């Protein structure tokens, strides 16, 4: 075992057995390790399983590159995230010839991560599972057949891949996309889900041109903040709806600093003709809804004839109600957007090109959003904040993301 600071690479010796005996032993040990990784706490306790798996490695070793031990946030069944998740230690796993072992540097807690743990997200890993879906890491070691990646490179899973809430991950090289190391760590960790959603929605439904307007609710969410900035960068005006709250004037100022043209609270829109509030802005041709209920109806009120509203979330958990006149006299269109469905259409190369574009904007200071960085060892504190238990109210679009960082990464 060779150690360097907090990292370790395990290279085990070769016994003078026959090739067939070594292969049988290799398969037996790896089968035991895979069993350990899948059992979680539904079977034997981790306190008995993990030491036994490590002992298997020591008893009869074979020539292999192993990952370091890892800490991971796991859940064995669906339910409230603060009740069903816990941090455990996982034993080393083998790094096969096409595998890359990545030391995770930061990974966000997204609303979709919460939904997967709750069991309400349409696509979710089979339990027991490790949480997380995106993040950034540093290559720790690579298999013998890996090309284009070396220890020290920064990588992200692209498209995103389940299981990023752990300190070390071993996955096939095809999962990882190399990013520029001078990228701000919090943006590299979060660039794929929210900013990419904003970019795709601006491009996929209406052919927008400079001078056009869009309208959105949930404007303080990370997607909302990205929409404002990406629209402004392209010369597109934005009308932004926020909920009534204490400190709404400060929120308005912040969004206008991002490039918002108008920021209006829901109570300000309790008028007969909301379009009188637009001043000299053109009527929006495209609207975005991530809240539902009355907030969605307010977006529809702003849209011009033959406008389109795209729904990508439902934070209020209330249905969208559309008046008959909106369809008959305004000929409005209602569409939906789900990033995972978009990425599943064999768009890995296109996805990575857009990630690079967005990260470049972040490096240039043209794309910003708020996040709080929390050490991995304080995961449950970060989870409480993400769930709104400490007053951040994320389900109403607080705009604050939470990135967990392994405790050995001296970021904070």
């Amino acid at each position: 075992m060779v150690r360097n600071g907090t990292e370790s690479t395990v290279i085990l010796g070769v016994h003078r057995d026959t090739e067939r005996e070594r292969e049988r032993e290799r398969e037996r040990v790896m089968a035991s390790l895979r069993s350990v990784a899948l059992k979680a706490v539904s079977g034997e306790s981790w306190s008995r399983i993990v030491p036994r798996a490590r002992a298997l490695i020591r008893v009869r070793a074979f020539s292999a590159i192993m990952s370091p031990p890892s800490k991971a946030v796991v859940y064995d069944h669906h339910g409230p995230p603060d009740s069903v998740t816990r941090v455990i230690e996982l034993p080393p796993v083998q790094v096969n010839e096409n595998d890359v072992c990545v030391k995770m540097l930061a990974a966000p807690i997204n609303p979709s991560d919460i939904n997967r743990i709750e069991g309400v997200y349409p696509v979710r890993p089979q339990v027991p599972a490790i949480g997380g879906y995106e993040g950034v890491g540093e290559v720790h070691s690579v298999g013998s057949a890996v090309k284009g990646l070396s220890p020290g490179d920064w990588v992200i899973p692209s498209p995103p891949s389940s299981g990023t809430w752990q300190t070390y991950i071993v996955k096939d090289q095809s999962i990882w996309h190399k990013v520029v190391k001078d990228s701000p760590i919090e943006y590299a960790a979060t660039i794929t889900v929210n900013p990419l959603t904003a970019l795709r929605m601006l491009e996929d439904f209406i052919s927008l041109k400079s001078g056009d307007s869009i309208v959105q609710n949930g404007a303080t969410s990370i997607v909302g903040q990205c929409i404002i900035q990406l629209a402004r960068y392209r010369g597109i005006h934005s009308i932004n709806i926020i909920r009534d709250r204490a400190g709404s004037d400060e929120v308005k100022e912040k969004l206008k600093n991002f490039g918002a043209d108008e920021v209006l609270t829901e109570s300000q829109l309790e008028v007969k003709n909301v379009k009188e509030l637009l001043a000299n802005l053109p009527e929006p041709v495209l609207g975005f809804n991530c809240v539902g209920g009355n907030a969605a109806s307010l977006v529809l009120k702003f849209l011009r004839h033959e406008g389109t509203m795209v729904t990508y979330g439902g934070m209020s958990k209330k249905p969208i109600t559309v008046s008959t006149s909106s369809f008959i006299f305004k000929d409005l269109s209602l569409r939906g957007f789900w990033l995972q469905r978009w990425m599943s259409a064999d768009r890995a190369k296109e996805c990575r090109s857009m990630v690079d574009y967005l990260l470049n904007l972040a490096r240039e200071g043209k794309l910003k959003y708020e996040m709080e960085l929390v050490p991995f060892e304080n995961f449950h504190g970060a989870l409480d904040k993400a769930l709104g238990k400490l007053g951040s109210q994320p389900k109403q679009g607080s705009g604050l993301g939470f990135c967990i960082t392994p405790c050995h990464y001296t970021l904070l």
Side-chain angles (χ1 to χ4, degrees), residues 33-52:
L33 288 176
R34 285 193 293 268
S35 175
V36 167
L38 291 173
K39 276 186 178 180
V41 295
S42 57
E44 297 182 64
S45 70
W46 280 94
S47 62
R48 292 197 300 271
I49 293 174
V50 172
R52 190 177 70 206

Side-chain angles (χ1 to χ4, degrees), residues 70-75 90 102 104 107 113 116 125 129-135 157 160-171 176 376 404:
S70 179
K71 291 183 179 181
V73 178
V74 301
Y75 55 101
L90 295 176
V102 174
M104 293 303 293
D113 296 322
R116 286 185 179 89
I130 297 172
Y133 192 58
E134 66 173 333
S161 179
S162 297
T164 58
W165 291 354
Q166 55 184 315
T167 53
Y168 288 90
I169 304 177
V170 176
K171 291 197 176 189
W176 303 106
F376 187 89
I404 53 175

Side-chain angles (χ1 to χ4, degrees), residues 293 296-297 300 309 319-328 332-334:
S297 299
L300 292 171
M309 182 176 78
I320 298 170
T321 303
V322 186
S323 66
T324 302
S325 61
S326 294
F327 286 122
I328 295 177
L332 298 182
S333 297
L334 303 184

